[in-house]
Amino acid sequence: MTNRTDPTDAAIDADTGDRADDVPPPRITRALERRAPAGARLTSLSFAEVEARAHAVLPELAALRPTIGDTPLVPVPSRHGRGTVWLKMESGNDTGTVKARTAYALLCGAVAGHGSRSLRCVEYSSGSLAFALAEFCAVLGLDLHLVVPHTSPDSLCVALRRLGAGVSKAPEGTGFLGAMEEAARVAETDDRHLLLQHCAAEAVAMHRELTGAETVRQLRAARVEPAAVAASVGTGGTVLGMTLALRTVWPECAAFAVFPAEGPYADPLPPTGTPRMKGTGGLGHGLRQPLLAPHEAALGFREVAHPDALEGMRVLRSEHGIAVSASGAGAWLVASQALDDAAAPGGAAVAVVASRGTKEEWADAGAGR
């Protein structure tokens, strides 16, 4: 596990076996630059207001709200037992992952901004977000097109189509960034709204007002004062929203954005298909997550190698009976380090666990024994 103090040193695409070109894709690069939210918007946007406008346009959205949130906060010892890490178990959402929250926030933001239920959307994903969006859009009757990386299994595409979504694959050899580029192309040529999760200020606001507020209530009920919060990064919305919420109550709470060691933040090199924690990592080509870029100084950047994350999965399951994704294990390891390295024992930290882990992750974890 690596402590990185200079976030300009590094990043990757998340979960693919392809290698991207040496040149950053132009459409998605322009979209990220054009729609990158200002730092002030990330701290001030009211999700409650966005949600209310969206519900007024599409009342069916309100029926989805009870399916997300109020997920458990479960205490486990830190890796070396000098403190307690409270795991925010996002597998408690109806879709089984934190991406249910993201999907809901993206759709509320899009509907509120569009002002009509005739919205036609497109988005990129390698799995969990795609399923959540497809399920929600099927309920809402929204037209959705999803772009997945070229290496995604055909079974994923079939399952998404059964939910009513249009599905296409990115060109071969372009990786996750290629899926982002293809989604931007589809948005232009098919007159669709690109949800663009990497620029979604509404996702940060949702995590601040919902996920973070829930966690604050749970910690207060347990009479716990957290010294740190850690979350593995896909877009950065979770870690930033949680940080903003917890620091309103505990201003000294440290915050750690966790990246794969195989693909750290702001890497100037193209992304590769090296195995790493699924659903995490930067974008490559020196691109930075627009949700994190304005707040780099407020975050600590940490890296976890894939074998260490798999070992964390095994430890949490064998010693504590809890199944977590590799990214959740990575967050636990980073939160643990903050406590285990502290001058005094007995501290507490929070780690966000995105899901219980995929079959593929558990197969990899088992193979590492």
Side-chain angles (χ1 to χ4, degrees), residues 3-4 21 82 109 248:
N3 297 347
R4 181 175 295 276
D21 262 325
R82 298 190 79 242
T248 60

Side-chain angles (χ1 to χ4, degrees), residues 63-69 92-95 100 136:
L64 295 178
R65 177 63 185 85
T67 70
I68 66 168
N93 292 302
D94 272 11
T95 66
F136 288 175

